[in-house]
Amino acid sequence: MDGIIPEQDYKERYIASEERFRTIFSLTSAATKIIDESLTIIKVNKALTDLLGYGEQEICGKKILDFACAEYIDSWKALQYKMWSGGEPFFRLDACLKNKNGALVWVHVTTIIFSDGDKRFAYTVLDDFTYMKSFHESEKRLNMSLQYSRMAVFDMDTLDGNLTYSEGLREILGLAENEIRLDRGTLLDCFIPDDKVELEGLLTALSSNSSLEFTGRVNTPNGELKWVHLQGRLDDLGISPRLLATAQDITKEKKAERYKDDFISIASHELRTPMTILSGTLQLLERNKPAELPRVSGLIGQANKSMRKINTLIEDLLHASKMSEGQLHLHKTAFNISRAVEECCADIDTKGFHKIIFEGDNNLELFADPERIQQVLINFVGNAIKYAPDQENIKIKAVEDVISISVSDSGPGIDADKVGHLFDRYYRVDSDGSQYSGIGLGLYISAEIIKKHGGKIGVSSELGKGSEFWFSLPKTLPEEIEQG
C-alpha cells in the first residue's frame, strides 16, 4: 500500500509536469513544433515563429511541408511515412524552408514520435544553420576565386608556427597532397635557399601591425622553379599574434616580365651603337655650328638636347634590365655628401630658376657607391623640378644620426593612392592630366640602388603641400671600409 500514489497526488504531479513541459517548450531557443497524426501543426514555440516570420495562428493548422522548398518535399514525405506507418521512432534530415519574406532558411530537422493515451503525436526540433550554410558557400566561392586567380590564403600562429590555410596552398607551394600539416618550417623549406633566408628574416622581424611583402622561388616536383608572392599583415589582437596572408603564383607574370626585359635589353644594346655615332656627329656639329645661321645653330642645339634625353632613356632601360637580373654591382668608397650634391646638381636646372639648398653637416661622409648615390639624387631633384616647375627652392637635407638624405619641394603633391606605386617599374604620375617625359624607371632604379646598399627609400606627400623623397643608409661598418 505504501508504494501506491494517491490519485490526487498523481493528478497534481501530472499537471505540474505539463506546466514544466509547456514552459520549456515555449522558452527553448530551438525552433520547435508538435504535429498530430494528420501531420497538422498543433503547437509552436516563439523560436519557430521568429524563424519563419509568421504568427502562431498563421502556422498552426498548416503542415510544415507548406513552408518547405519544393526540392525537399518528396524526401521529407518519405521519412514521415516511414515513421508514422513503418514503425521508425524518429528521423533526421537537412531541409530548406521559406520564411514570410521569401528568404531561404536552412534547418537540421529532428522529429520524434510519441504517444499520449491512445493518440500519437510528433515532436520536431528545427535547428537553424542558415548562417553556417552561407558561410560554407561563401568559403567555396572564395576558394574557387582564389583557385582561378592562382591564389590561396593562410593564417600563421607566430608563436607555434602552425598554419591554417585554404585549398590550393599546397599546389602553389609545390607540396604533396598528402602533406596535411603545414607550419612555418614547411613554408620556409618550400623556397630555394637564398629566398628562404630572406623570408625567414622578414618573418622574424614582424612586429605589431607590421606587414609582409615577399616574392620568392619555389622548387616544384618536376624540377621547375615557380615564383610565389606572399603578402600579409600581423594581427596581434588575440592571445597569440597571427600573420594573415595571401600566397599567389606569379610565374606567368614573371615569365612575361622576363621576355619583356630580354627584348628591352636587346633593343637597348642594339640602339646604343648607332646612337653613340649619332651623338658624336651632333656634338661635332655643335662645335662647328655656323654663327651666321642662327636658325641652323638652334636646330643643332635642340637635336643635341633631344639626343641627351634618348641616351638617358637607353641608359635607364639598360640599368633596369641589369637590376632585374641581379647584375647591379656597387663600388663603395668614402665620399663627402655635400660635395656629391654640388657636383651632381650643378647642371640639372638648365634655366637657372631653381635653387638647390643643402641642409646638414657639410662634412658628413658616406661609405657607398658615389656614382649610384648621385644617380638617386639626380632623379629626386629632377622629379622635383619636373613636377614642381614653379617652386624656386628645392631642399636637400642630410641627417647624420641615421645617415638619412631627403629631397623636398612645395609642389602639387601626390595622391595617396598613387604613392604606393611610385617605385614600381614603368609607373608614371600624371598630375591633373599633364603628361611628363620619361618612362617611369627613375624611381624604380633609385629604389633598387638603395636596396642594394642595404638601405630604405620612401616618400611623404600631401596634396597641395608638396613632396619629400628620402632614403637612409646603414652606418659605415669598419670591416666595410677595410674591404673597400
Side-chain angles (χ1 to χ4, degrees):
M1 296 294 293
D2 292 341
I4 299 175
I5 302 173
E7 184 176 351
Q8 185 64 29
D9 288 349
Y10 177 82
K11 289 182 178 179
E12 288 177 358
R13 290 186 185 186
Y14 176 79
I15 293 170
S17 177
E18 282 287 308
E19 288 297 324
R20 283 194 295 271
F21 172 78
R22 290 192 185 95
T23 301
I24 294 171
F25 180 86
S26 62
L27 297 180
T28 184
S29 59
T32 309
K33 65 179 177 67
I34 296 175
I35 59 174
D36 60 17
E37 289 188 73
S38 67
L39 308 183
T40 302
I41 300 171
I42 59 173
K43 193 171 184 62
V44 297
N45 68 350
K46 185 177 184 302
L48 183 59
T49 59
D50 291 342
L51 181 70
L52 295 179
Y54 292 98
E56 183 176 352
Q57 298 304 317
E58 294 177 284
I59 299 174
C60 290
K62 294 185 177 180
K63 298 180 179 181
I64 192 62
L65 295 181
D66 295 336
F67 304 95
C69 297
E71 60 268 32
Y72 292 93
I73 291 177
D74 289 343
S75 58
W76 204 333
K77 277 183 176 178
L79 289 171
Q80 288 177 331
Y81 177 80
K82 284 183 179 181
M83 187 181 74
W84 290 99
S85 302
E88 295 286 343
F90 68 93
F91 69 81
R92 293 191 181 98
L93 84 155
D94 290 345
C96 178
L97 306 175
K98 282 188 179 179
N99 68 12
K100 193 171 185 177
N101 296 324
L104 298 182
V105 179
W106 292 89
V107 288
H108 299 301
V109 180
T110 303
T111 298
I112 303 170
I113 195 168
F114 69 95
S115 298
D116 187 4
D118 58 349
K119 294 185 178 180
R120 293 190 302 169
F121 301 90
Y123 182 89
T124 302
V125 176
L126 301 100
D127 185 18
D128 181 11
F129 71 102
T130 306
Y131 174 78
M132 288 303 300
K133 179 81 172 178
S134 300
F135 172 77
H136 289 309
E137 289 183 352
S138 176
E139 189 177 37
K140 284 182 181 178
R141 289 193 294 269
L142 174 61
N143 283 328
M144 287 180 62
S145 300
L146 291 172
Q147 185 178 1
Y148 287 122
S149 62
R150 306 192 308 281
M151 286 183 68
V153 295
F154 65 90
D155 172 359
M156 185 180 79
D157 188 318
T158 57
L159 293 183
D160 61 23
N162 286 328
L163 266 69
T164 304
Y165 52 93
S166 68
E167 293 179 20
L169 184 64
R170 285 194 223 86
E171 182 181 351
I172 289 175
L173 295 178
L175 295 170
E177 286 296 321
N178 58 2
E179 193 159 0
I180 299 174
R181 186 179 179 276
L182 300 184
D183 56 19
R184 173 179 168 141
T186 313
L187 176 67
L188 289 170
D189 289 340
C190 292
F191 293 90
I192 64 173
D194 288 348
D195 294 343
K196 174 182 176 180
V197 171
E198 183 184 350
L199 177 57
E200 190 168 18
L202 291 172
L203 292 176
T204 303
L206 282 174
S207 58
S208 179
N209 292 320
S210 63
S211 58
L212 172 73
E213 189 88 25
F214 169 77
T215 300
R217 289 153 292 179
V218 165
N219 279 311
T220 60
N222 60 11
E224 294 183 2
L225 286 179
K226 180 188 290 186
W227 284 90
V228 175
H229 180 68
L230 304 182
Q231 187 175 19
R233 178 171 290 277
L234 189 70
D235 176 13
D236 61 354
L237 296 178
I239 298 174
S240 174
R242 310 187 72 86
L243 174 66
L244 309 177
T246 60
Q248 183 176 14
D249 180 357
I250 58 169
T251 306
K252 289 183 179 179
E253 290 81 353
K254 279 290 183 180
K255 285 183 178 178
E257 195 175 279
R258 180 60 186 268
Y259 295 148
K260 181 175 64 177
D261 287 344
D262 289 346
F263 170 76
I264 289 173
S265 179
I266 293 168
S268 301
H269 279 289
E270 292 298 321
L271 285 170
R272 203 171 194 180
T273 300
M275 287 300 171
T276 300
I277 297 170
L278 184 56
S279 180
T281 303
L282 288 172
Q283 288 175 16
L284 185 62
L285 287 172
E286 178 74 26
R287 287 195 293 270
N288 298 284
K289 60 186 178 184
E292 68 276 9
L293 298 173
R295 180 174 174 78
V296 174
S297 297
L299 290 173
I300 292 172
Q302 184 63 41
N304 268 299
K305 185 178 178 181
S306 297
M307 180 55 61
R308 284 192 291 273
K309 287 184 177 180
I310 293 173
N311 282 329
T312 299
L313 292 177
I314 291 174
E315 287 299 316
D316 282 351
L317 288 169
L318 287 172
H319 282 139
S321 179
K322 286 181 180 179
M323 289 169 185
S324 67
E325 296 172 2
Q327 295 180 7
L328 175 63
H329 303 296
L330 301 180
H331 303 285
K332 293 184 178 182
T333 184
F335 64 96
N336 180 278
I337 187 62
S338 175
R339 196 173 301 117
V341 168
E342 187 178 345
E343 290 174 2
C344 70
C345 295
D347 300 323
I348 293 180
D349 184 17
T350 55
K351 297 180 181 179
F353 173 74
H354 299 276
K355 291 181 181 178
I356 310 298
I357 302 171
F358 180 80
E359 298 178 354
D361 184 1
N362 287 322
N363 298 317
L364 178 62
E365 289 201 343
L366 294 179
F367 183 72
D369 186 325
E371 184 179 337
R372 297 298 187 186
I373 296 300
Q374 285 184 324
Q375 188 177 349
V376 176
L377 288 169
I378 289 170
N379 181 263
F380 280 9
V381 174
N383 281 342
I385 292 173
K386 183 193 297 185
Y387 292 102
D390 300 327
Q391 303 301 315
E392 183 178 353
N393 295 330
I394 296 171
K395 295 179 181 180
I396 299 179
K397 183 167 57 177
V399 181
E400 186 175 5
D401 291 345
V402 290
I403 314 183
S404 178
I405 298 167
S406 62
V407 177
S408 59
D409 63 66
S410 50
I414 304 167
D415 287 332
D417 59 342
K418 296 179 180 178
V419 168
H421 301 286
L422 290 177
F423 298 100
D424 294 346
R425 264 200 298 186
Y426 307 115
Y427 185 80
R428 297 171 66 245
V429 176
D430 294 329
S431 179
D432 298 327
S434 302
Q435 300 294 318
Y436 298 98
S437 61
I439 55 176
L441 281 175
L443 288 175
Y444 165 74
I445 292 171
S446 297
E448 292 301 310
I449 289 172
I450 298 303
K451 288 176 186 175
K452 189 72 174 180
H453 279 85
K456 296 180 179 180
I457 191 168
V459 59
S460 301
S461 186
E462 189 174 347
L463 285 177
K465 294 187 177 181
S467 304
E468 181 180 21
F469 285 83
W470 58 268
F471 65 86
S472 61
L473 299 176
K475 287 199 172 186
T476 304
L477 298 175
E479 57 267 23
E480 282 187 303
I481 297 177
E482 290 172 9
Q483 292 171 5

